[in-house]
Amino acid sequence: MGKRQRRRQREQAQKKLTAPSPLIIEFPPGEPRIRAVIKADCPKQAQEVAAQYWEITEEGTWARTVGSIGDQQWVAATATSISHAVLLKSLCRNCDEPIRVTNRSWAVKVGGKYLDRLNDRYLCPECSDVQRQDEERERERRLQAARAEKEREKLKVEEEARTIAEALADEEAKDGSTSRLPYGRPTALALYLVLVNHAAYNPGNPLPSVADLGSLGWTGDTERDTEALLDLYRAHLVAIASETPRKAFDVSEEDGELRFFGPEVKWRLVGGSPTATANARAVRAHFMTAPGQEAHDDRQALAELVDRMEIINVISYLDGLLTKKYDYPAVPEGRRQELADIVRKGFAAGYTSGQMICFAWRAADSAAAWKERNAHMGPPEASSGAVTILNNKIDTAIEVHHAIPEYDPPRWHQQPPALAVLRQLNAEVKRVRDRSVISACPQCDHQGLRETDTGAMVRCIHTATVPEQSEPQEDPAEA
């Protein structure tokens, strides 16, 4: 570095040390509210413009408009570039120092119309800078925390995916070697037959979840179905299918243990078709011919399950008629238990499912006709009236022994998916013990027992007799 350059730097440093003090003017003179600070190293004219720009009257209003000083843009630009003001009455809410402002608008915003308002909101520039820095640091901290949380969530999702994949691999490896039939769990046994039947007609597809089947589930009671499926799962008769959605699983944050939500799980039969067929044959034999109290109780539970499904089926059909055909509401909640009792009475009187469908169709049709004859009656009253009409029709039919035809439900009606299979099984179980069938069977004694080649006595299933069946008629609602 040359001497001339070093001398020039010393002169510049000296100029900085000896910089002239700024011009300070306070307005109004007697009791100042504002202090104008104007740069000293600027033209005299610019200093005068700045002083006029900041000057206020005794009342605290501006002494002159910006336009009266000169061109507005030029005056504002000149004044704000070489000066600023300090509001002596408005103190920083943080450090209690007078607040510095850069223009008139900001001065009025902080100090009010007369520049004397006590401040409880604004900060001085220095405190504002500190606050901005704090906010920036806090924002950066939150961003870092968010990034860290996002990374943790990503790792968690990846770990959960690995855990679920490992669990599904274990489920896929189940081969039926440890399977056992859950005797004493009649709903699970009955549902297993339904699942085997469903799988036979849907090869290659997983068994649907209870949630997939909607409000009816398999048997009309989703909670009962879920519990029965869990019984089958614990017996290693079904396994979780790989098509089960992610929402069906939950990984505990405490111990990392994988849990699943039963209603959302899709299932598969364990052991393949031959194993499932053999198990189903054993289940059917248990219900039909097994001796002992446990088997007897299971048969009773099967009959009750089928009865409940039959009642649910008729109620569902009546609701469907009211809502789909007549655009009425479903049967009111307050009368649903009464409706169930009425339908149960019809079945107890010996009417078949097809005949109860006929009763329901006639009740809905009569309720609609009754509403049309009574204009003041609304759809809710018609839906409620259908319950009363159904009860009356069943009572009359029982009393006078009316011949009631059998109707098939229409295609839009969805019955519990398990009903057809279990209805047939229950009929076969009852047929095995039917006294008239036993009397007509040449293979068994009067108690329904036959002797095997080994000399043991077993329950006969009467394969030499064929039960009579009636042909159901078409439901008029289908037309």
Side-chain angles (χ1 to χ4, degrees), residues 384-447:
S384 180
V387 179
T388 303
I389 295 171
L390 176 63
N391 185 54
N392 293 338
K393 288 184 178 297
I394 291 176
D395 284 344
T396 300
I398 293 173
E399 181 179 355
V400 301
H401 303 289
H402 277 167
I404 305 298
E406 293 193 6
Y407 290 166
D408 279 335
R411 285 185 292 272
W412 53 257
H413 172 61
Q414 296 295 321
Q415 68 181 22
L419 178 55
V421 173
L422 299 187
R423 176 193 286 156
Q424 180 181 3
L425 173 63
N426 189 49
E428 292 174 354
V429 170
K430 290 182 177 180
R431 177 178 171 275
V432 166
R433 288 161 179 78
D434 188 302
R435 301 308 306 177
S436 62
V437 175
I438 292 174
S439 299
C441 180
Q443 298 176 332
C444 61
D445 62 18
H446 67 283
Q447 293 181 333

Side-chain angles (χ1 to χ4, degrees), residues 348-359:
Y351 292 113
T352 66
S353 176
Q355 290 172 318
M356 292 302 298
I357 291 294
C358 175
F359 275 125

